[in-house]
Amino acid sequence: MTKPPPRVQRNRASLPYKLRYAAQNPDKVQAYLARLARDVKLRVANRGHVAYYRAVMRADAARSPEAAVGSPTRERWLKLGQMQFDYLVKHGLKPGDRILEIGCGNLRAGWRFIDYLDTGNYYGIDISPDILLAAQNTLTRHGLQDKLPHLALVDDLKLGFLPSRHFTVVHAHSVFSHSPIQVIDECFAHVGRVLAPDGLFDFTFDRTEGTEHHVLREDFYYRTETLTGLAERHGFTARFMDDWERLPHGQSKIRLTRAGG
């Protein structure tokens, strides 16, 4: 593993960090207080993390679908999607692969996958109906209707409606960075069923080398060994992707394959 960047040493949930950040970024205090107020309101109104985060996505998507998936500008949205696409192609993605994208959002990377893959070989799922409507707009804008992509709304990551041993690539970008460990464990417990025998599961996460923590139940920070250990208990071999660390993105990436595969 490459030398950890400074960002993984921070505990964004600690009071000293919050005070220091507020002193250094006074212009962002009001926005944080608005997020805090929204967090309290949505946690009271919604039971369970999926319902809570669906409400977060509804509020964010109403302002900007690009911002709702973590891209403050259209230019950044395009660059991050291109980065994800280029990375998988560099690692051997072929048009005949069958991709399941967990948390497909408004198809930031998905539209590139759909365009590249053989017809019908892309399946995207998300918990947010609002962001899936934005995904339909992305498909229309890029003229990809004839590629017959599948888009589905889900309430969990049990994946029970999907075929067994079907997907050669499962991809989850910036999903576990917004998920408590119970949601990640649920995904690991079920994704192996839909993964082809020689398939791979790539996911990004917000990494910390210190205390694991979360900010407003929206952003979760995990140690690498926590996620690799959890994956191994579900029968996977887990590999930290060092080459992803060299790309201009703030998250880290792990690749899962079937143990012994």
Side-chain angles (χ1 to χ4, degrees):
M1 189 182 299
T2 57
K3 182 180 179 181
R7 62 180 168 80
V8 304
Q9 308 297 334
R10 303 169 186 151
N11 183 344
R12 295 162 179 79
S14 69
L15 182 59
Y17 176 85
K18 291 179 180 179
L19 293 175
R20 184 168 59 252
Y21 186 85
Q24 295 171 349
N25 302 274
D27 57 315
K28 296 183 179 181
V29 171
Q30 185 173 357
Y32 174 80
L33 293 176
R35 273 186 72 193
L36 177 61
R38 182 180 75 173
D39 173 75
V40 172
K41 177 182 177 180
L42 295 183
R43 289 178 69 179
V44 170
N46 297 278
R47 295 189 61 183
H49 184 75
V50 169
Y52 163 79
Y53 203 74
R54 179 178 288 146
V56 170
M57 292 294 291
R58 181 181 303 117
D60 288 346
R63 296 198 306 272
S64 164
E66 285 79 13
V69 296
S71 299
T73 65
R74 175 72 176 176
E75 180 183 16
R76 183 61 175 162
W77 185 85
L78 288 168
K79 285 184 176 179
L80 283 176
Q82 186 74 57
M83 186 189 309
Q84 295 171 57
F85 174 77
D86 289 346
Y87 185 83
L88 283 183
V89 170
K90 178 183 176 182
H91 280 256
L93 183 70
K94 297 293 189 296
D97 278 307
R98 299 179 298 278
I99 286 185
L100 168 64
E101 187 164 31
I102 297 173
C104 63
N106 64 339
L107 302 180
R108 177 170 57 185
W111 76 266
R112 298 181 189 276
F113 293 139
I114 293 164
D115 190 39
Y116 176 77
L117 295 172
D118 291 342
T119 297
N121 279 13
Y122 177 88
Y123 212 121
I125 63 174
D126 207 286
I127 65 167
S128 169
D130 303 274
I131 209 68
L132 286 175
L133 290 175
Q136 292 179 2
N137 293 334
T138 300
L139 287 174
T140 302
R141 185 167 60 247
H142 290 281
L144 295 169
Q145 299 94 325
D146 290 346
K147 297 305 289 279
L148 300 178
H150 307 272
L151 299 176
L153 180 68
V154 297
D155 269 329
D156 54 43
L157 293 182
K158 295 179 181 178
L159 312 176
F161 67 104
L162 294 174
S164 297
R165 302 164 69 87
H166 180 73
F167 297 101
T168 55
V169 176
V170 178
H171 184 252
H173 183 92
S174 198
V175 174
F176 295 162
S177 53
H178 303 300
S179 302
I181 198 67
Q182 297 90 340
V183 171
I184 300 173
D185 182 59
E186 177 179 87
C187 181
F188 288 176
H190 295 90
V191 72
R193 183 187 64 79
V194 304
L195 193 65
D198 58 348
L200 61 88
F201 176 19
D202 272 15
F203 63 86
T204 64
F205 68 105
D206 278 326
R207 179 160 64 103
T208 181
E209 295 293 325
T211 302
E212 294 182 331
H213 58 281
H214 66 83
V215 178
L216 301 181
R217 303 297 294 180
E218 291 185 33
D219 304 307
F220 291 77
Y221 296 83
Y222 294 105
R223 295 177 66 87
T224 301
E225 56 266 31
T226 295
L227 299 184
T228 56
L230 182 62
E232 288 164 2
R233 288 195 291 276
H234 285 289
F236 293 104
T237 296
R239 173 187 170 195
F240 185 87
M241 304 304 287
D242 286 283
D243 59 346
W244 176 263
E245 293 291 291
R246 294 190 286 272
L247 298 176
H249 190 276
Q251 295 182 6
S252 296
K253 184 186 285 282
I254 290 173
R255 173 168 295 174
L256 305 187
T257 54
R258 294 179 182 276

